[in-house]
Amino acid sequence: MRWDGLFADLEAQLAHGRWQDTETEAAELTRGERASIVLADRLRGAIGAPLTVMLEDGQRLQLTVSTVGSSWIGGSDRSGSLVLNLDAVAAIDSPLSVTTPESSPGRRHLGIGSLYRSLSRARAGVLVSGRDGRVLGEGTIDRVGLDHLDLAVHPRDEQRRGRNVRGLRVIPYGAIHLVRSAHTSSA
């Protein structure tokens, strides 16, 4: 009889040890999975939700996320449509608890240059703000390179016509933190 109790106690200890090992392994796998999540996937999980974003220049934007690229966030705030370079984001006041990976391999690799090319094709009037919050220019994006864009400088509420263009400004992507649509007030 004493042996039965001893064996039962040993089996219980073994089962408890296996359960602890399983819990430890699950926790390690969870940490490993979290370590592979990129910010863009967490932001993609917030599409349609309002976020408060703090930029490097101290500016706070309350925006509703509409689209997320590999290196940018598209959305709108009280002033209208905008695009933020993720490199200009200092912090986000939100738990971003839902993660949504990009399912399309092609879209996964579209960077901010692809977005700028779309704006260029649409001939959209834009306001471009720099990392320090200053306006780098307003007008129409003429050309888009690998790491820079050419902005035809003119009032963004006027169409790009020869008589309206006051010059051409070349702006490196790294200098840009925010691009606003033509139908907004200044940043």
Side-chain angles (χ1 to χ4, degrees):
M1 203 50 108
R2 287 185 12 204
W3 288 99
D4 291 338
L6 179 65
F7 289 139
D9 185 48
L10 286 173
E11 284 181 27
Q13 287 179 24
L14 183 60
H16 181 69
R18 279 193 219 133
W19 179 250
Q20 284 182 325
D21 289 346
T22 301
E23 283 182 328
T24 301
E25 188 176 326
E28 187 60 34
L29 288 172
T30 300
R31 281 190 290 277
E33 185 176 308
R34 284 184 184 148
S36 68
I37 295 172
V38 295
L39 179 57
D41 290 347
R42 293 183 72 188
L43 288 164
R44 204 171 286 110
I47 289 178
L51 297 177
T52 300
V53 178
M54 293 187 313
L55 302 179
E56 289 180 328
D57 66 357
Q59 187 178 172
R60 293 174 68 88
L61 297 174
Q62 292 187 348
L63 64 104
T64 301
V65 179
S66 60
T67 187
V68 178
S70 60
S71 61
W72 53 272
I73 310 166
S76 60
D77 63 4
R78 293 177 311 188
S79 300
S81 299
L82 58 90
V83 175
L84 286 173
N85 186 331
L86 274 180
D87 288 341
V89 174
I92 301 167
D93 288 338
S94 172
L96 297 176
S97 54
V98 176
T99 302
T100 306
E102 177 57 65
S103 58
S104 165
R107 287 190 61 175
R108 192 174 305 130
H109 299 292
L110 291 179
I112 201 158
S114 300
L115 176 72
Y116 294 152
R117 279 187 282 285
S118 294
L119 291 170
S120 176
R121 280 191 302 273
R123 308 308 282 163
V126 297
L127 176 102
V128 180
S129 296
R131 292 196 174 279
D132 59 2
R134 288 186 297 166
V135 173
L136 297 176
E138 67 177 318
T140 306
I141 299 172
D142 270 358
R143 286 181 288 274
V144 179
L146 180 63
D147 60 355
H148 66 282
L149 59 84
D150 292 359
L151 183 73
V153 179
H154 61 83
R156 64 188 162 143
D157 58 350
E158 295 177 6
Q159 291 193 0
R160 188 202 186 289
R161 303 249 191 272
R163 67 182 179 277
N164 297 338
V165 176
R166 296 185 175 101
L168 182 70
R169 185 162 297 149
V170 179
I171 306 172
Y173 294 168
I176 300 170
H177 85 204
L178 174 68
V179 176
R180 288 195 175 274
S181 70
H183 304 292
T184 65
S185 60
S186 64

